[in-house]
Amino acid sequence: MERTGSPHDVAYALSTWKKAREFQAGVEELAQEIPLAHARAYLSQRNRLPEYPGEVYEEIDRLQTLRRNAIQAEMRYVKAQVFCLFRDGIEEANFVTEHSPLGLTPEEAARALERALDLDEADGSVESGACARLLLGDAVLSGDDLRFGFSREIYYAAPSLGVYELFMWTTVGELELASAALKPV
């Protein structure tokens, strides 16, 4: 996420950066033992390939736990950002209709957002995360989502989701290859 000096810029705790460094070093090392495409498939489908020993899958699970814990540590900020976006009327139900993974109609989104706001306000804090759950889904809030990033609109709603970019299941080499493939010839 590019730093622009806007109110939507975020910073992360030193502990998050340390976990990101540990995670990335682990991913780079793991890539020497198993193609990361297989590791990502294992994480999403839990399919083990017989040619890789159990220790490899234990390391994948360890790295995913590290990733999940670090991402979850940022979710209180994500929950607050999404709640304030809707509470303050900056965005309305049509934003949920357009960006939620739930595929709600405008009427369903309006009712769901009203309930979510009531839940978050009744709680006295945003820890319930009802608004964030409505917009983002459980996999994102739990840190289990494997995507590499989010749309500009979702980052606008919850800038702290940039933490996902610190914990991508890719190597630097994979990113460089992908970047080279996108450059015009």
Side-chain angles (χ1 to χ4, degrees):
M1 188 162 43
E2 181 180 326
R3 299 277 178 210
T4 60
S6 77
H8 296 287
D9 283 348
V10 296
Y12 304 105
L14 182 58
S15 60
T16 301
W17 286 106
K18 287 179 180 179
K19 288 175 185 173
R21 197 168 46 242
E22 178 184 349
F23 175 80
Q24 191 60 47
V27 166
E28 294 286 344
E29 194 173 303
L30 181 68
Q32 302 304 312
E33 299 196 35
I34 185 172
L36 289 182
H38 293 312
R40 291 187 293 266
Y42 167 71
L43 288 167
S44 65
Q45 301 163 7
R46 304 310 286 181
N47 293 337
R48 290 180 180 228
L49 298 172
E51 58 265 33
Y52 300 105
E55 294 80 24
V56 168
Y57 292 102
E58 288 172 13
E59 181 61 6
I60 294 169
D61 289 336
R62 184 190 74 77
L63 290 170
Q64 180 64 3
T65 298
L66 172 68
R67 177 184 187 271
R68 184 183 309 113
N69 290 340
I71 290 172
Q72 284 175 352
E74 296 294 327
M75 284 304 114
R76 66 181 177 181
Y77 305 112
V78 168
K79 291 173 183 178
Q81 291 161 350
V82 173
F83 171 67
C84 290
L85 183 81
F86 293 120
R87 179 202 63 196
D88 297 346
I90 297 168
E91 292 294 342
E92 297 179 357
N94 64 328
F95 194 84
V96 173
T97 303
E98 294 169 10
H99 302 289
S100 171
L102 301 176
L104 301 174
T105 66
E107 296 78 22
E108 292 168 333
R111 286 191 302 274
L113 181 57
E114 185 177 335
R115 283 191 306 273
L117 282 166
D118 288 346
L119 283 170
D120 281 347
E121 288 173 349
D123 186 26
S125 74
V126 293
E127 287 306 309
S128 69
C131 290
R133 187 166 283 103
L134 175 63
L135 181 61
L136 304 170
D138 288 327
V140 170
L141 295 179
S142 70
D144 288 323
D145 196 291
L146 295 180
R147 75 183 82 193
F148 298 143
F150 299 88
S151 69
R152 177 173 296 186
E153 294 81 11
I154 293 298
Y155 281 131
Y156 160 76
S160 289
L161 281 175
V163 71
Y164 267 86
E165 295 178 16
L166 301 177
F167 295 93
M168 296 190 301
W169 273 99
T170 60
T171 62
V172 172
E174 281 182 307
L175 292 175
E176 288 171 348
L177 282 173
S179 178
L182 294 175
K183 290 182 182 174
V185 183

